[in-house]
């Protein structure tokens, strides 16, 4: 396959991916690799498409093959870093991102990749430095601006986050990161209707976006205080997970029974009845809360009209 044919095939793969046919794009890249099994760029692109398909093991294989074919190709290290990050191997991912930066210090996406990992690890100072470096190299990149807005939201710098989101949306009105950053700013400022509109816009284009769905859940809990209590309880319990969550539930139950048997009798009958009713209400809420909340969110998602090429 000649160079023009390779570029044509690459464009075809990109077009398939843009149309939402990620598996078709992967098949097209594999077709090229049959004749050029050590083509580093195609291997790195294959890793990227495998990441989008949520196949980190396959992505890691492709990324490692790309580096074996071209050890000094920064994109290959970046692709492998993203695959490792998806797999949860953040330490190795950071190593490859930093290698990419050593190879090409002025690579804006190398700084951006490291910034995203630092954000994930809650190393905000390093994330900010890397994001600022990326924007210094490519100041009109809407993706960088949207991600930086997200970082500023996490630091409670809402005015700066809003300004960054506006800049990003001026360049690309459909930028997911910027739309969700603006939605989160609106949510924190109590502008629920505006936050909801931005979240629903993202979901029309990307119905499975986890951050958008999470924000929609937060909006619903703000609109319904009782469900808000259940949501906070569920988020808190999620931190324990598995058997630890059951241990916490049992300890809470035992603590209540101990309180009821020893301290509660010292209070008046009315207060005793109120405490018991509150406990009963809490038990009912934790039982039916998931079902009610799921219906609320599902009803909201039914209003989402997906784009034709999703």
């Amino acid at each position: 396959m000649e160079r023009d044919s390779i570029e044509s095939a690459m464009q075809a793969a990109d077009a398939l991916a843009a149309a939402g046919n990620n598996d078709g794009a992967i098949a097209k890249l594999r077709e090229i690799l049959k004749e050029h099994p050590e083509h580093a760029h195609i291997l790195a692109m294959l890793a990227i498409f495998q990441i989008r398909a949520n196949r980190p093991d396959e992505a890691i294989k492709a990324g490692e093959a790309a580096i074996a074919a071209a050890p000094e190709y920064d994109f290959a290290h970046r692709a492998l870093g993203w695959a490792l990050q998806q797999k949860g191997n953040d330490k190795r991912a950071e190593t490859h991102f930093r290698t990419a930066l050593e190879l090409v210090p002025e690579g804006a996406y190398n700084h951006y990749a490291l910034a995203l990992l630092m954000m994930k690890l809650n190393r905000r100072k390093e994330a900010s430095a890397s994001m600022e470096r990326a924007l210094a190299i490519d100041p009109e990149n809407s993706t960088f601006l949207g991600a930086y807005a997200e970082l500023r939201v996490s630091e409670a710098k809402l005015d700066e986050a809003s300004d960054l989101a506006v800049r990003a949306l001026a360049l690309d009105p459909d930028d997911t990161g910027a739309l969700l950053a603006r939605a989160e700013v609106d949510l924190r400022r109590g502008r629920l209707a505006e936050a909801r509109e931005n979240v629903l816009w993202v979901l029309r284009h990307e119905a499975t976006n986890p951050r958008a769905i999470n924000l929609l859940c937060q909006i619903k809990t703000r609109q319904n205080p009782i469900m808000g209590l259940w949501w906070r309880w569920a988020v808190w319990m999620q931190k324990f997970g598995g058997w630890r969550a059951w241990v916490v539930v049992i300890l809470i139950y035992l603590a209540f029974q101990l309180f009821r048997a020893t301290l509660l009798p010292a209070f008046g009958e009315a207060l005793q009845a109120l405490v018991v009713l509150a406990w009963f209400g809490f038990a009912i809420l934790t039982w039916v809360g998931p079902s009610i909340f799921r219906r609320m969110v599902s009803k909201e998602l039914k209003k989402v009209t997906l784009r034709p090429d999703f």
Side-chain angles (χ1 to χ4, degrees), residues 119-140:
M119 287 170 64
K120 177 187 176 184
L121 299 176
N122 207 29
R123 289 156 59 178
R124 293 175 182 169
K125 188 175 181 180
E126 293 172 80
S128 183
S130 293
M131 200 66 79
E132 286 173 5
R133 186 63 186 136
L135 281 167
I137 298 167
D138 188 0
E140 299 300 305

Side-chain angles (χ1 to χ4, degrees), residues 112-182:
Y112 169 70
L114 183 61
L116 291 184
L117 179 60
M118 295 300 100
M119 287 170 64
K120 177 187 176 184
L121 299 176
N122 207 29
R123 289 156 59 178
R124 293 175 182 169
K125 188 175 181 180
E126 293 172 80
S128 183
S130 293
M131 200 66 79
E132 286 173 5
R133 186 63 186 136
L135 281 167
I137 298 167
D138 188 0
E140 299 300 305
N141 189 308
S142 63
T143 301
F144 297 173
L145 289 165
Y148 200 15
E150 180 186 350
L151 174 60
R152 287 306 189 226
V153 169
S154 71
E155 296 172 328
K157 297 178 179 178
L158 302 187
D159 289 336
E160 191 174 346
S162 182
D163 291 343
L164 287 163
V166 168
R167 284 175 58 194
L169 293 170
L171 294 165
D172 179 4
D174 292 329
D175 185 274
T176 297
L179 284 166
L180 293 180
R182 191 163 72 174

Side-chain angles (χ1 to χ4, degrees), residues 176-223:
T176 297
L179 284 166
L180 293 180
R182 191 163 72 174
E184 195 158 355
V185 170
D186 287 334
L187 176 62
R188 293 195 181 200
R189 288 176 169 169
R191 299 196 293 257
L192 302 185
E194 292 89 339
R196 175 179 171 276
E197 285 305 311
N198 282 314
V199 168
L200 292 180
W201 181 267
V202 171
L203 289 171
R204 289 186 190 103
H205 290 74
E206 195 178 337
T208 56
N209 185 294
R211 187 176 163 213
I213 294 172
N214 183 273
L215 280 172
L216 181 61
C217 291
Q218 291 184 51
I219 291 166
K220 299 308 291 183
T221 60
R222 290 284 189 91
Q223 293 173 331

